[in-house]
Amino acid sequence: MSARRFKISLSVLIALLFLGGCWAYLSCPVVVLTDATALWKNEYDASRQGTLVPGPGIPRVMMTAGNRLRVLWRADGKDYRAYLVVAPRWQRGWVLYGQHGVPPL
């Protein structure tokens, strides 16, 4: 009897954790791109694009206008703000605040 109760409790806990994770993901803000922009591999590559001499980083993928990006995390540096986003097809990457095509949140 106690083994059955344990399985039910564990199942309920897993279901609640799953629903909580879905709610947390869906409550993240969404940004719709206004122009083509690059999705960078890491925060450093994204931060270098706002400088006078952009870094040598290669974009992970070029996003087109109208793509929806879900913002998971915001990183603030000394003179930049970058967002960790999830793009269409579950591609993860970084975009720079103020980067061409990225509207403010």
Side-chain angles (χ1 to χ4, degrees):
M1 178 113 170
S2 65
R4 184 172 184 221
R5 175 177 268 167
F6 176 74
K7 288 180 183 178
I8 291 172
S9 303
L10 187 61
S11 299
V12 168
L13 177 65
I14 289 172
L16 288 175
L17 289 174
F18 176 76
L19 291 175
C22 290
W23 176 79
Y25 175 76
L26 293 175
S27 66
C28 294
V30 173
V31 174
V32 179
L33 297 178
T34 59
D35 201 1
T37 190
L39 188 68
W40 299 97
K41 181 179 178 181
N42 54 36
E43 179 188 350
Y44 177 74
D45 287 345
S47 69
R48 291 288 295 157
Q49 303 315 308
T51 62
L52 293 175
V53 182
I58 298 171
R60 176 169 278 181
V61 67
M62 288 299 293
M63 307 302 298
T64 58
N67 280 351
R68 298 168 58 88
L69 306 177
R70 190 166 299 272
V71 178
L72 299 179
W73 188 261
R74 182 183 86 187
D76 294 318
K78 180 180 171 188
D79 54 356
Y80 71 92
R81 176 177 288 168
Y83 299 115
L84 175 64
V85 297
V86 174
R89 298 186 185 150
W90 297 101
Q91 297 169 322
R92 260 187 18 193
W94 291 84
V95 294
L96 186 64
Y97 174 79
Q99 185 174 331
H100 189 65
V102 180
L105 283 178

